[in-house]
């Protein structure tokens, strides 16, 4: 099989629904109950080497590894920050494409931020991923595999704080999840499927983001999975959003917010409005007031929560984070109008924390295979800050 750029990866156990796994083991001449054994090792025990799966026939283990568990994600660089509680991994995929995932451990939860595409075709000018364009969509297994990796790190006690579990997954890494809708929805179902057929993560712990692909937003709502929807809005007026998020020229702010409101009403899950604060671009107090009005006119039942994001600048970009006083004023204006608002924890600045930065650098230097931690004494990223009336900021 060719491994050229853009080639689809081989089929993996994580690409298959439970019934398809039974068919797969039967096709290998094995009895149906072997499917549950394989899933137990993979999803429940988080074991990745069939050679040690002694409840399976010795002569079948190598075939299982080769046919059902082909390697998909090769770690090419891993960086740590926040005393090891933030771990960012750059992955080389089957065809050489690069993506990223981030494990973030907090006192009462552990979140994995995952990629859904290699690159991104949306073209937002302040985003590192968007500057490289789209290479291809990820498969379901490539998406789920990023979470399985984080789950293994926690289960083995490799992250500070001792053994633990992944409690939250956010589709906020590289790519536009709604542009890879089928694989993302299949990944959501696998992540939430009870063990041993999946990872057994609560759907309420999953967040799927979008810049506003309205038809897919409505399709997600219709799927009946109570995940949190995050809308990367970044501007309350169409004139500016046309520049910051080019897709806005096809689906304007009213259309995006209407679809978001419908998801909140149907799912019972509050929508997260993601808003990257960019110095002298979208951080004016009048824009905070306009954002508040546009949210409030759709209902005052706190259907939306604004998650302000201090921009993590991309090297060479003219875009940079807002001044602290402008950020604080933006928060005040939203809170004064009764809009739940928080400022996102700014983790990992010293390890290429913004989406796409590490993958871009690894690709540029040819891929340093060494695992490196952040240098001792390096500047610490911002502390988790929760100002205003909101809660559950990711």
């Amino acid at each position: 099989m060719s491994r050229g750029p853009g080639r689809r990866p081989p089929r993996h156990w994580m690409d298959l629904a439970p019934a398809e796994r039974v068919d797969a083991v039967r096709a290998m001449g094995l009895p149906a109950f072997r499917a549950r054994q394989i899933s137990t090792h993979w999803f429940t025990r988080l074991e990745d080497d069939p050679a040690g799966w002694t409840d399976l026939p010795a002569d079948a283990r190598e075939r299982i590894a080769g046919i059902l568990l082909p390697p998909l994600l090769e770690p090419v660089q891993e960086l740590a920050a926040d005393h090891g509680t933030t771990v960012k991994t750059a992955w080389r995929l089957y065809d050489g494409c690069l993506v990223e995932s981030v494990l973030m451990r907090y006192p009462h939860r552990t979140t994995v931020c995952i990629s859904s595409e290699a690159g991104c075709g949306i073209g937002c000018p302040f985003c590192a991923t968007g500057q490289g364009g789209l290479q291809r969509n990820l498969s379901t297994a490539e998406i789920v595999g990023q979470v399985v990796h984080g789950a293994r790190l926690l289960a083995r006690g490799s992250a500070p704080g001792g053994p633990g579990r992944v409690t939250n997954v956010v589709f906020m890494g590289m790519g536009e999840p709604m542009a890879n809708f089928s694989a993302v929805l299949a990944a959501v179902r696998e992540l939430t499927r009870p063990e041993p057929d999946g990872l057994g993560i609560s759907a309420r712990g999953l967040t799927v983001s979008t810049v506003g692909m309205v038809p897919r937003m409505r399709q997600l709502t219709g799927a009946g999975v109570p995940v949190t929807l995050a809308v990367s809005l970044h501007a309350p007026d169409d004139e500016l959003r046309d520049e910051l998020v080019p897709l806005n020229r096809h689906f304007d702010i009213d259309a995006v917010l209407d679809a978001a409101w419908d998801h909140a009403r149907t799912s019972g899950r509050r929508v997260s409005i993601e808003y990257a604060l960019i110095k002298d671009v979208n951080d004016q107090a009048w824009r905070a007031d306009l954002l508040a009005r546009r949210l409030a006119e759709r209902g005052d039942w706190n259907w939306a929560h604004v998650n302000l994001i201090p921009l993590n600048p991309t090297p060479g970009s003219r875009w940079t984070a807002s001044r602290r006083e402008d950020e604080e004023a933006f928060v005040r204006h939203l809170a004064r109008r009764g809009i739940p608002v928080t400022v996102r924890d700014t983790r990992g600045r010293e390890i290429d924390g913004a989406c796409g930065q590490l993958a871009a650098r690894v690709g540029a230097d040819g891929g340093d295979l060494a695992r490196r931690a952040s240098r001792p004494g390096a500047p610490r990223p911002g502390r988790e800050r929760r100002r205003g009336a909101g809660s559950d900021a990711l």
Side-chain angles (χ1 to χ4, degrees):
M1 179 182 292
S2 171
R3 292 195 180 203
R7 297 288 183 179
R8 293 294 296 173
R11 185 185 69 164
H12 192 280
W13 192 251
M14 293 181 289
D15 287 311
L16 306 178
E20 294 173 321
R21 292 170 185 162
V22 171
D23 291 340
V25 297
R26 282 177 168 162
M28 294 175 60
L30 298 172
F33 72 87
R34 297 298 185 194
R36 185 175 181 86
Q37 289 179 308
I38 294 170
S39 290
T40 298
H41 284 290
W42 191 263
F43 290 114
T44 303
R45 299 177 185 171
L46 298 169
E47 298 168 345
D48 57 0
D49 184 5
W53 299 355
T54 56
D55 56 342
L56 292 164
D59 60 353
R61 295 174 210 163
E62 186 174 349
R63 287 194 298 134
I64 288 170
I67 297 173
L68 302 177
L69 301 170
L72 298 178
L73 299 167
E74 175 193 357
V76 294
Q77 192 168 89
E78 189 172 278
L79 303 178
D82 304 294
H83 303 294
T85 60
T86 301
V87 179
K88 186 164 192 175
T89 305
W91 301 99
R92 179 173 287 112
L93 305 181
Y94 180 80
D95 57 355
C97 292
L98 296 168
V99 296
E100 304 171 356
S101 64
V102 188
L103 174 72
M104 296 167 285
R105 194 158 199 183
Y106 300 91
H108 303 296
R109 71 182 189 278
T110 299
T111 299
V112 180
C113 178
I114 58 175
S115 297
S116 55
E117 295 181 307
C120 183
I122 301 298
C124 300
F126 58 89
C127 174
T129 303
Q131 293 174 19
L134 176 67
Q135 295 174 289
R136 70 168 172 86
N137 289 335
L138 269 59
S139 68
T140 297
E142 289 171 326
I143 296 170
V144 175
Q146 298 168 63
V147 184
V148 170
H149 169 74
R152 286 179 180 144
L153 287 180
L154 292 168
R156 296 167 183 172
S158 300
R165 291 177 58 88
V166 174
T167 58
N168 297 75
V169 177
V170 293
F171 288 76
M172 294 182 176
M174 296 172 65
E176 162 58 45
M178 297 294 182
N180 188 17
F181 184 81
S182 294
V184 165
L185 183 59
V188 165
R189 296 194 187 284
E190 187 151 304
L191 293 171
T192 57
R193 193 175 288 130
E195 296 177 2
D197 293 323
L199 284 175
I201 300 171
S202 169
R204 294 179 177 272
L206 269 60
T207 299
V208 178
S209 69
T210 181
V211 296
M213 297 189 74
V214 170
R216 296 304 192 194
M217 293 168 67
R218 295 196 176 280
Q219 194 172 349
L220 178 66
T221 300
V225 183
V227 297
T228 296
L229 177 67
V231 176
S232 298
L233 198 67
H234 305 312
D237 54 302
D238 285 312
E239 181 179 4
L240 177 58
R241 195 167 192 265
D242 283 350
E243 177 184 359
L244 297 181
V245 184
L247 190 66
N248 196 68
R249 299 163 193 162
H250 299 279
F251 306 109
D252 65 14
I253 292 173
D254 277 332
V256 171
L257 291 182
D258 285 347
W261 181 90
D262 190 56
H263 183 83
R265 178 187 60 82
T266 302
S267 68
R269 300 293 294 161
R270 187 167 63 172
V271 171
S272 180
I273 303 297
E274 307 293 298
Y275 197 106
L277 285 170
I278 307 172
K279 180 181 177 182
D280 298 329
V281 174
N282 66 350
D283 60 355
Q284 300 85 357
W286 70 265
R287 281 197 160 96
D289 292 333
L290 177 57
L291 176 60
R293 287 198 301 272
R294 299 198 79 156
L295 296 177
E297 68 188 13
R298 287 169 172 79
D300 59 358
W301 48 280
N302 287 341
W303 68 274
H305 161 265
V306 176
N307 190 21
L308 299 176
I309 308 165
L311 187 71
N312 204 339
T314 300
S317 172
R318 66 186 177 92
W319 312 92
T320 191
S322 298
R323 292 174 287 266
R324 177 61 63 86
E325 57 267 28
D326 293 332
E327 176 190 297
E328 292 173 344
F330 207 96
V331 170
R332 287 197 304 273
H333 277 253
L334 289 173
R336 188 179 301 149
R337 291 177 174 269
I339 302 297
V341 55
T342 54
V343 180
R344 181 185 288 181
D345 175 14
T346 53
R347 285 193 170 206
R349 286 188 183 273
E350 74 269 34
I351 57 169
D352 298 306
C355 171
Q357 285 186 359
L358 179 58
R361 184 165 61 78
V362 169
D365 67 15
D368 177 5
L369 298 182
R371 294 172 176 264
R372 298 184 301 171
S374 57
R375 293 176 287 106
R380 294 277 296 134
R383 297 183 300 273
E384 183 172 10
R385 291 169 288 147
R386 297 191 174 205
R387 295 193 292 276
S391 63
D392 296 329
L394 292 171

